Amino acid sequence: VQPVVLAANQPPKFYRGGRRISEFRQLPVTDQHGPPYGSEDWLGSTVSNYGTAVGATRLPDGRLLRDAIAADPVGYLGAEHVAALGANSGLLLKLLDAGERLPVHCHPSRAFARMHLDSMFGKTEAWIVLATDGDEGFVYLGFHDPVSDETLDNWFTAQPPSEILAAMNRISVRAGDAILVQAGMPHAIGAGVFILELQEPTDFSVMLEWKAFGLDSLVESQLGMGGLEALACMDRSAWSSSQLEARFIRRGVVRRGAIEGVFPDDAGGYFRAVAVDSVTTAGLDAGYSILVVLEGAGLITTGDVTMPVSAGSTILIPYGVGNIALSGEFFGVRCLPPDPASFAATQA
Ligand SMILES: [Zn+2]
């Protein structure tokens, strides 16, 4: 196994965006008159866009990443990971450029996914804000007052957009902030917010809003169950912005010189992320991971392979390459699958 440079991988999406992904990757920016749009770039993806065959990462040698991992799980993931998660990376990473506000939606928990979707993974996710239009952007997270089943059903049927948004916490975000979005939590990303998104490796989404986004087919059915039935996985309880702030949001944690974990500790059963600065960190331990370089340029060395990296590089690093030496002056985020012991604890 060797480190692999991941090229852009943009399955078609219904919402506007994509310019920031092209700029980040230093590719020509082409205005997209969609839909579909290239508003997401899936990194190290072992899954496909729900109900389609696209989205899975293909390696430069032509193989699907998931097939390469299946052929050499310990080489890619390490024995401890495979013992806990099997031959599954346990991680889906995305660049997401919200060129418009996204619809309010949520994702199922592992328990819901086990019961209804034949999957050991749900889709807890987390965001690292990379940029916003202007100094700050906005996201919507959780209802600020409890929402009854009847109200939620009415919203889903009647689609009053201002009423739904008004019921949610509107939270300002800046580049460097990190936010954990646990399964079930209703959420939406505001216009102009560009994020790096870590997720469990599935494409399970349950939409509360559909009409304004042309998703009319979801009224009858989402995730293979009734449209309303799928909403059973949405958290209708009240969250205050101070509760959300204390439990799920960490401000300014992704910055040069930082060496701490990015997300709250209880995210470790789902994924991990560490800010990496080659000026203050000479090396990284072995581990399946995806390095996203945000600024600067330098080299990574594993075994006898040395690879140049620079802002916009996304590199998949298999466990089997061993320790990773860093040189030059670059800064980025290393994204990792769940800690195997924490993963096992969340399955209990
Ligand atoms: Zn989401």
Side-chain angles (χ1 to χ4, degrees), residues 96 102-103 105-107 123 125 127 181 185 187-189 197 199 204-205:
L96 188 156
L102 270 60
H105 68 285
C106 76
H107 307 286
K123 199 167 98 154
E125 68 184 35
W127 310 328
V181 184
M185 182 69 77
H187 60 278
I189 298 168
E197 183 173 48
Q199 312 184 311
F204 299 145
S205 292

Side-chain angles (χ1 to χ4, degrees), residues 16-45:
R16 289 171 204 281
R19 174 182 56 86
R20 290 224 191 240
I21 292 171
S22 300
E23 288 173 353
F24 175 76
R25 288 188 167 281
Q26 302 181 26
L27 297 170
V29 176
T30 50
D31 280 339
Q32 285 180 287
H33 303 286
Y37 300 96
S39 35
E40 297 181 8
D41 183 348
W42 293 22
L43 306 172
S45 171

